[in-house]
Amino acid sequence: PQQPEARRRYEQRLYEVQTQGGSLPEYEAFVQQYPQSPYRQAAEKHIFQLSTLSHQTADYEQFIRRHPGNQFAPVARLWLYR
């Protein structure tokens, strides 16, 4: 019973430490280094948000090019082709 809780705390702490600066490169590195992390979705959300802050077409295009497998790539495509 305690092992899953310890693992959850470990994964959470790892995510917090690796992304503590809140920068785009930190989130990108986290996703690359820990693709199976339960915090991958949260990191991908931050990548999307930070990549498209300006809501400029070029930012959405670049996001799709740089992160085609990101769960928010379809959202970026919808934004572009609306």
Side-chain angles (χ1 to χ4, degrees):
Q2 221 167 13
Q3 194 173 22
E5 177 61 19
R7 182 66 181 181
R8 185 195 68 74
R9 284 195 312 258
Y10 168 78
E11 293 285 353
Q12 180 180 11
R13 186 69 181 133
L14 179 66
Y15 175 71
E16 290 169 351
V17 168
Q18 295 293 319
T19 61
Q20 65 187 343
S23 71
L24 181 58
E26 287 176 330
Y27 288 111
E28 290 172 332
F30 180 83
V31 167
Q32 187 173 20
Q33 292 172 12
Y34 306 101
Q36 301 304 316
S37 170
Y39 291 91
R40 179 188 177 108
Q41 289 184 335
E44 286 188 347
K45 182 178 180 180
H46 286 288
I47 291 169
F48 174 69
Q49 291 172 332
L50 292 169
S51 297
T52 59
L53 276 175
S54 71
H55 297 290
Q56 298 296 312
T57 299
D59 291 338
Y60 285 90
E61 290 170 342
Q62 182 177 2
F63 170 77
I64 292 167
R65 275 194 309 276
R66 291 187 63 189
H67 306 284
N70 184 297
Q71 64 178 325
F72 291 95
V75 175
R77 284 186 197 91
L78 283 174
W79 191 93
L80 282 174
Y81 304 112
R82 60 186 160 100

